[in-house]
Amino acid sequence: MKKFLLSGVALFALTTVANANCPAVTVADMSGVAAGKYPQQFELSEFQDAANCTLEFAENPAIGDLNGQIKGNPDLPPLAERLPEEPLVVAPYASIGKYGGTLDALSNATEAGTSDFLSTRHVNLVRYSDDLATIVPNVARDWSWNEDFTELTFFLRKGHKWSDGQPFTSADVKFWYDNLALDSNVIEKPKDYVLVGGERMQIETPDETTVIFKLPAPKPGLLAHFATHYGQGFQPKHFLGQFHPDINADADSHAQSMGFENGYAAIKAYYGNSDWTDTPTPMLNSPDLLDKLPANTMPTLESHIVIRDTTEGRHYVANPYFHMVDTQGNQLPYISEQDEIYANDQQVRLLKLVNGEADYKTQSLQLSDAPLLLENQEKGDYTIHLKPKIAMHAVSFNVTSEDMEKRKVFGDLRFRKAMSIAINREELNQVAYFGEGKIQQYIGFSPAPDFVDEKWKTFATEYDADGAKSLLDEVGVVDGDGDGFRDLPNGQPLVLNLQFATQGIAGQVVELIGQYWSDVGIKTTVKEVTPDEYRSAQSSNQLDVGLWEKGQPLGIILGNNELWVPPFENYFAHRTGMLWAEWVDSNGEKGVEPPDYVKQLIADINAFQSTPVGTPESDKLGARMVENMVSNLLFIGTALTPDPIYHRNALKNFVEFKTASYEYYRTYPYRAHQWYLDE
Amino acid sequence: MAQFLQFAFTRAVMALVTLLTVSLIVFTLMELVPGTCAERYLAFKNTQGSQISIDDIKAEEKRLGLDRPFLIRWGSWVGNVFFKGEFGDSCILRLNINQLLADKFWISLGICLAALFLSYLIAVPIGIVSASSNSPVTNNTLRFVSYLGLALPNFLLALIIMLFSTVVFGDSLTGLFSKEFRDAAWSWAKFQDFLSRAWLPIFILGWSATAFALQTVRALMLDEIGKLYVTAAAARGVSGSSLLWRYPARHALGPVINSLGFDLNRIFNELPIVALILTLTEAGALLIEALARSNDQQLAGAIIFLLTASIVALNFVTDILLALLDPRVRRGLMG
């Protein structure tokens, strides 16, 4: 009887919000508790000292059931053994949340338009706070730089565990770096952000919770990289290591016993082809092998783990080992499950949003969708915030087109300038952006740092159709056959096929630009394609015109040079000069040699990353980069605009975002782990 | 009997030849899509940081056998399809097509057949009755309804229903399954859930199909009804519905059965648009995605081929049925 009573009490304590003796500190009401070292969050001991209390832990009452749905997970030990010794104590924005519910989301397709939703469960060593200026700890407990930015030390949490209950230690960071990021069997060529000036770092792990990145040259932006990037600086060595020949001598035979070709094939099935965290799991890529596999997906440190993965959508349950608690000791996340469905059609997505069929969305929503969304706010019981975005809609020409005649024309600066001044940006702003945009040329940095000369912001943005026509005449792009449209200098017809995906740019913008170009005699056709097809065509050098948004803040550029080195961004974003990239990649053996200003850009960005920001030397490098980028018009900008952010009113602890942007990794600064559903 | 077997055999061979011809056309169309599968496969390697080069693409084309002559490639494609039931991998999604389509194709076929069945269920009795009815009210009402069915495009009907449902019920009626059944294995409960949603596309597709069939049946009946054998039968004292069903209806329905394959094709053609609007996750939606927006030639080819195969199969079955029912058919064919 006594036991029964006790468990009854325990159940009561678990299902209601735990009323520990600590004050319910929130961002809105700190209850007199002083802020810690970092805003809106505390280390456990820091919090207990500040609030003068002892935190008692409580968990989601459904966590046992949720754990049961994760294939391969053993039964759960008590909560105290699942949390790190020093869990991260998070102050919710408005109130202590309620457990339960399912966060519904819309994405475009597998690996298309999913990053927004991925960011709601994302973790990395550190993150940006919601002021978008302060970097704060996340998975790491803290960090320190040495004086000249050549040694970055992370301090991890003692007792932190993967979603399968295995310990997470410094060895997992080293494993990610040495055995995945730098292993050409996993990722063919190391990404710039794992290198410093093209050279590798050394990772030292003096003990289980200390990781030291030793850099061959200063790179202050490395920390910002971890705060903004989807690539996580750690992977489960105990899990992926069993398939890695450097870790396990029997990796190949072990993988073969499960039906894989070899160990690397198993790593590919679990980890994907890249460090993009949202690649298909074995549930989608090898369903016939599932029965023999130890788990359907690899363990994670994220707030939710995927349990179903099909071409129609994915389903997630809360990670029972997640390392965060609120200020009352309730383990996060509050929301038990997540559900993601794919809808590749913009109109269908809008209809579903208007009906309140998703809880949160911003990726792929364009300013042009705002009127419809705003109009139905009350009926659909949701709220729209219009927030500036960092990247702008931009246009580029394939300066290394397979067609030599087109390559000559696109490579001619006069042509690119003509195309830029042929765009009536004032009208574009009124029609497509409802006058909300701020006209600007693409300058590489967004927002513009102080070292940017004002003149570049408006370079070749004035509307001048006649000027465009005479420039086109100069290039030799004239109407040879009298059909009213200009032809290539060799007499062949010139038709610009404007392929675009709504994930990267709004349809109205593309149609208007196409119309402006037709007005100066350049024939265009407009076709909407899927993001996948757009990226494929771009990768294989098949696009004439690049149409996607573009722009990154200074902080990110310091850690990642891809905006300044051909093809000027990664697979997922806006690229041009694919054959220049091949030349750079092969050290000049293959591809097409880029012009001098591009070589200068590459040299400058590498120097820029190793120079402390704000110094005259750094500003000089930055100014030269902007001048080379803008005066050559490799990318043609339109206007800086806001974008809609959608969330259902039932979603609580949702704070207004500062930007509607990918650049700080979307929701990551705004802590989706402390969202809860109140229905 | 021997004559019948011979007829069936000839028909089967003809169906096979049709299928082969169609596969050649489909394969040729796949080739016309700009870009090759090799390029699309390799594009994804970009995520690994290195650029793909022209050499890489050439090597991949060789690996995929894309450098071989057209007819040989068609032969191996069709061989794999016929003998192994294997359609290869989708260029864009990089997933096995059989796995990708799996029950999606059967769902699509089921929806189309159900729409076809529904339209005949309504059109045949009503068409016959309306042909024999002299009431101007009945005739005009039927005519109005069926013209509406012919004139109103299916996508518009779908949009109207969705809009109505959104405004009145706050549910967009999209998708084929509710959330809890979307990834579940097939079960009775999932099937019921499916039916509770599939009625909408079936209704929409059946709507215009019914109108079309109604007109056909009515016209055929009107042709037959004034003929001498009907008058003779009436003179013998047969009257009312038994006169209708036993004499003119029998003759009128032959051409209707014969056009089953044609009707299925028409319904299937409408499916992708309706599927796109209702966000159905079946083969029709995949087809329009593959054809119009992602240039996925392997996937589009597989779906078109399967679609054609089902139409050819249905035609074969109706031919055999007709031959069983009506000896004139097989004699007519054999000469």
Side-chain angles (χ1 to χ4, degrees), chain A residues 38-100:
Chain A
Y38 299 104
Q40 303 173 357
Q41 62 183 39
F42 304 84
E43 288 311 311
L44 179 63
S45 55
E46 187 187 31
F47 179 72
Q48 297 190 144
D49 290 348
N52 193 21
C53 64
T54 308
L55 207 55
E56 286 163 30
F57 298 124
E59 64 184 356
N60 186 337
I63 199 72
D65 292 341
L66 300 175
N67 182 62
Q69 297 182 50
I70 305 171
K71 188 191 150 192
N73 260 25
D75 286 344
L76 289 184
L79 177 61
E81 290 169 35
R82 304 201 310 265
L83 287 170
E85 280 177 29
E86 285 257 328
L88 181 64
V89 181
V90 168
Y93 276 111
S95 54
I96 301 294
K98 286 196 296 195
Y99 282 123

Side-chain angles (χ1 to χ4, degrees), chain A residues 314-329:
Chain A
R314 284 180 288 199
H315 194 84
Y316 308 80
V317 294
N319 173 0
Y321 296 87
F322 196 58
H323 66 284
M324 295 184 199
V325 295
D326 67 15
T327 50
Q328 294 281 280

Side-chain angles (χ1 to χ4, degrees), chain A residues 264-482:
Chain A
Y264 281 117
I267 290 181
K268 199 171 145 186
Y270 278 108
Y271 182 59
N273 293 318
S274 71
D275 56 356
W276 167 235
T277 332
D278 227 7
T279 51
T281 64
M283 288 177 266
L284 186 59
N285 64 36
S286 348
D288 42 330
L289 304 181
L290 277 188
D291 291 344
K292 291 188 211 153
L293 299 184
N296 286 351
T297 182
M298 63 175 182
T300 179
L301 296 182
E302 293 169 9
S303 67
H304 293 79
I305 180 168
V306 59
I307 56 163
R308 288 197 293 274
D309 187 2
T310 68
T311 48
E312 278 130 61
R314 284 180 288 199
H315 194 84
Y316 308 80
V317 294
N319 173 0
Y321 296 87
F322 196 58
H323 66 284
M324 295 184 199
V325 295
D326 67 15
T327 50
Q328 294 281 280
N330 301 298
Q331 187 188 21
L332 299 178
Y334 293 125
I335 296 176
S336 295
E337 295 175 59
Q338 294 189 330
D339 196 68
E340 177 179 30
I341 58 170
Y342 302 138
N344 220 339
D345 188 88
Q346 178 81 343
Q347 299 310 317
V348 171
R349 283 197 297 264
L350 285 176
L351 185 70
K352 283 175 172 286
L353 291 176
V354 165
N355 278 329
E357 290 177 32
D359 289 304
Y360 160 76
K361 174 112 197 125
T362 176
Q363 185 177 23
S364 300
L365 291 185
Q366 302 281 355
L367 185 56
S368 48
D369 305 326
L372 178 75
L373 289 169
L374 285 166
E375 193 181 319
N376 289 285
Q377 276 187 111
E378 245 171 74
K379 207 185 108 253
D381 198 21
Y382 60 82
T383 305
I384 296 293
H385 296 140
L386 279 175
K387 293 290 163 185
K389 84 186 162 174
I390 289 172
M392 67 163 86
H393 292 153
V395 184
S396 65
F397 288 91
N398 187 354
V399 287
T400 58
S401 172
E402 302 288 339
D403 181 330
M404 292 310 287
E405 194 71 5
K406 280 185 183 168
R407 188 187 295 184
K408 203 172 83 192
V409 169
F410 295 163
D412 192 322
L413 177 58
R414 291 171 299 177
F415 176 81
R416 299 200 295 273
K417 186 163 183 207
M419 297 282 91
S420 180
I421 59 177
I423 298 172
N424 186 345
R425 288 179 179 76
E426 291 292 346
E427 190 181 278
L428 182 75
N429 188 23
Q430 291 308 323
V431 175
Y433 303 136
F434 314 111
E436 296 283 320
K438 188 173 162 283
I439 290 169
Q440 195 182 299
Q441 188 52 272
Y442 171 78
I443 56 168
F445 293 92
S446 183
D450 294 338
F451 57 73
V452 178
D453 191 332
E454 284 296 317
K455 72 175 178 189
W456 297 125
K457 290 190 189 167
T458 51
F459 180 76
T461 54
E462 72 286 354
Y463 176 56
D464 181 5
D466 293 332
K469 284 180 194 159
S470 57
L471 276 172
L472 290 172
D473 291 342
E474 275 180 45
V475 179
V477 178
V478 288
D479 183 7
D481 52 12

